[in-house]
Every structure is written in C-alpha cells, then in structure tokens.
Amino acid sequence: MIKLDSQHIDEMAALLAVASTNSFVAAGKAIERHPTIISKRIASLEVRLGIRLVERTTRQVQLTDAGRRLADKLRVATDLIYEAQQEATEASAELRGCLKLALPATMGRLWLAPKLPDFMAMYPKLELDIHYSDEFVDLVEGGFDAAIRIGNLADNRLVARKLADHQRVLAASPVYVERHGMPLEPSHLLAHNCIGNPSLNSYPIWRLSDGKCVEMVRTNGTLHTNDSIAMLEAARAGIGILGAGEWLLARDIAAGTLIRILPQWTFDGDGGIYLVRPSRRYVSARTDKFVSWVTNLFHSIPWG
C-alpha cells in the first residue's frame, strides 16, 4: 500500500493548482499558500519523482508533458475522492458536481438540447457545462468529461462508443426539382447547382456510393458555406442540391419541404456518431450516468 503523508498531498495540490493557473502566484491564491511554498512543493515533487514537471520562465510557468500527464491523473484521483465522499455522506443517489460536455453545434442544438432537460430533471443537483461547437476540441486539454463527435475518429487517446451510423444524403426542394429536373445518376449533378461546404476535406468533390460502386463528382454551385443551418435554409428556398447528414435533413424530408435526390446513393466513408471520453481507467459517476442516458437516447435514432 502506498502511504501518503501531508507533504505528498501538499505537493500534489500545488501541481494541480499550477496546472490550472500557469502561475505560482495565482496557484498560491487558489489554495491559500505563499507562492514560494508552491515553488518549493513543486521542486520537492520533482526531486522525489526524478523528473521535471514544470518549465519556469520569468513570465509564467508551463507544465512539461510529464507534468501534464501527472496532473491529468491526479484530477481523476481527486474526482474519485470527491465522489466517494459524496456517496458516503449522501443518503440518496443524487449526483453532484459539474459535468463538462462538448457537443456538435448544429446537431447538438437540434437533437440533444431539447432532450437534456430530461437528463437534468433526473439529477437536479448536477451542474452541466456544455460547449456547442463544430471545431475540434481537445478533451484532455479542455478538461471535458465527454463529447459527441460526428465522422471518423483519429484521436487514439479517447475511449469511443458508437451511438449511430452517420449517413450524408442528397436533398433539394420540390421547387428546385420542378425548375431544374431530377438528376437520375451522379454524373447528372454536374449540370446542377450544388450547395458546397468548404470545411469538408473532400470539397468540392462529392464521393458517392450505392453499395456496389463509388463515383466522384466535382460539384459546382453558387453558395459555399460551412454553416449547416445556412445550407439548409438555402436548400429549402430552392437554391440548389444539398448533401448533408440525415440528422439535418430528416425533418424537412418528412414534412415534404425537401425531397431525396438519388435516394440509392449516399456519401462514402461518413463514419459514425460517437460518444467519446478521455482515456482514463476510472470514470466518474457523472460521466457514467450521461453515457448510459445518451446511449439509450440513440437506441431509437431521434431523427429516424
């Protein structure tokens, strides 16, 4: 059994404070210690472990890679200690603390935001800190407990659970089809106004598959935007043909404001919709409850 004395605990507290503030002065204020004590505790920890944990400059303090890895694991440990205390002192199974989530901007607002109050009603003392963005978010660096990502995963530091397949399909308004005709094969798209998304790696090429073969079409169009809602509004207004995720188009297709184009074709290699979390051995009760809840939510695809 590893024995921790008060000095070891002070050293770890100092490292966590420095990791959060990048400053001995701010770290000292955070845990009510003099900056020189913070510096001495970090130096003592470095000597005891035999590794450099921080890089000191005249203006700020930055953790080394080893320091960041140690701080990440210490955060997990402190979370577990906090939860153990809560479980010991709470007669109920109520969750407390803060759950920090990163959700895709448009899909999160359309399909998850309306459902999240149900989750909050189940755990009324749990605080949610939710960041909606389509930009890549580093879960480890940002201190996120979990995220939902669309597409193909590349970060091997994450633990991933597939929630659903992700398919992008083609759609246009009935007005557009009436004016310009219905394309019957991928090559016909060359004669159509295709709404483009420059943020996609394949832009302006649409790589389409019918399950047997793949065809690549270099699209042309008068609208190019990375905003999903702007593309959707343009398609509704009859501007052109839109290629987008089923989650974005489903309601309009069901309502008839958009119709499927080339319904036997979908975009090739779209990956899936994943719940991801930092690769940690232990998972907080807050994260575990959210994982269970969102997995159940996707058992019946919300837009299916």
Side-chain angles (χ1 to χ4, degrees), residues 89-103:
T89 57
E90 294 273 338
S92 67
E94 289 180 313
L95 293 184
R96 294 176 180 267
C98 181
L99 179 67
K100 190 174 183 180
L101 304 173
L103 303 180

Side-chain angles (χ1 to χ4, degrees), residues 12-304:
M12 291 185 287
L15 180 65
L16 285 174
V18 170
S20 298
T21 62
N22 291 329
S23 163
F24 287 143
V25 173
K29 290 180 179 179
I31 61 174
E32 299 180 344
R33 292 286 191 277
H34 194 277
T36 57
I37 298 298
I38 299 293
S39 179
K40 288 179 179 179
R41 291 289 182 262
I42 297 293
S44 175
L45 182 59
E46 289 177 323
V47 170
R48 183 161 62 83
L49 298 180
I51 55 175
R52 179 176 289 278
L53 299 173
V54 300
E55 297 290 349
R56 300 160 176 83
T57 68
T58 56
R59 309 187 78 176
Q60 64 177 356
V61 178
Q62 292 285 350
L63 266 64
T64 64
D65 288 341
R68 280 191 293 271
R69 288 194 298 270
L70 178 57
D72 287 340
K73 292 187 179 297
L74 289 176
R75 288 192 191 98
V76 176
T78 55
D79 283 346
L80 288 171
I81 292 170
Y82 174 79
E83 289 182 11
Q85 290 174 335
Q86 290 299 318
E87 290 178 5
T89 57
E90 294 273 338
S92 67
E94 289 180 313
L95 293 184
R96 294 176 180 267
C98 181
L99 179 67
K100 190 174 183 180
L101 304 173
L103 303 180
T106 307
M107 193 194 79
R109 295 187 186 106
L110 286 176
W111 296 106
L112 294 172
K115 299 291 186 180
L116 281 168
D118 296 338
F119 178 73
M120 297 181 72
M122 295 168 60
Y123 308 105
K125 295 185 179 180
L126 180 64
E127 177 185 347
L128 295 187
D129 181 0
I130 304 176
H131 294 241
Y132 290 92
S133 175
D134 288 325
E135 300 296 324
F136 174 84
V137 175
D138 189 318
L139 300 192
V140 177
E141 185 71 22
F144 289 94
D145 296 294
I148 290 179
R149 289 187 174 168
I150 304 172
N152 295 297
L153 299 181
D155 194 338
N156 59 12
R157 297 176 303 165
L158 304 177
V159 176
R161 173 180 294 192
K162 190 173 184 179
L163 299 173
D165 291 326
H166 175 233
Q167 283 194 330
R168 283 187 297 153
V169 299
L170 299 169
S173 73
V175 171
Y176 178 88
V177 174
E178 183 180 349
R179 290 175 180 170
H180 303 282
M182 175 71 78
L184 300 177
E185 57 185 62
S187 62
H188 292 177
L189 294 171
L190 294 170
H192 284 268
N193 197 30
C194 297
I195 300 170
N197 184 349
S199 67
L200 298 178
N201 291 333
S202 61
Y203 172 83
I205 294 173
W206 284 359
R207 183 182 172 93
L208 302 173
S209 171
D210 65 354
K212 298 178 182 178
C213 64
V214 175
E215 292 200 26
M216 292 184 290
V217 180
R218 180 174 289 275
T219 59
N220 297 288
T222 56
L223 176 63
H224 316 273
T225 176
N226 66 345
D227 186 85
S228 297
I229 297 300
M231 291 190 291
L232 181 61
E233 292 291 349
R236 288 170 176 166
I239 296 299
I241 296 175
L242 173 60
E246 288 181 303
W247 58 265
L248 181 65
L249 304 176
R251 286 175 175 164
D252 284 273
I253 291 173
T257 51
L258 295 178
I259 56 177
R260 283 285 302 269
I261 304 296
L262 299 173
Q264 70 274 30
W265 294 83
T266 60
F267 283 73
D268 185 53
D270 279 341
I273 299 173
Y274 296 90
L275 175 74
V276 297
R277 59 179 178 81
S279 180
R280 296 170 178 168
R281 182 177 178 183
Y282 299 104
V283 182
S284 71
R286 299 185 296 272
T287 304
D288 187 59
K289 292 297 184 183
F290 178 75
V291 169
S292 298
W293 176 81
V294 80
T295 300
N296 289 332
L297 178 65
F298 274 85
H299 276 165
S300 296
I301 302 300
W303 52 88

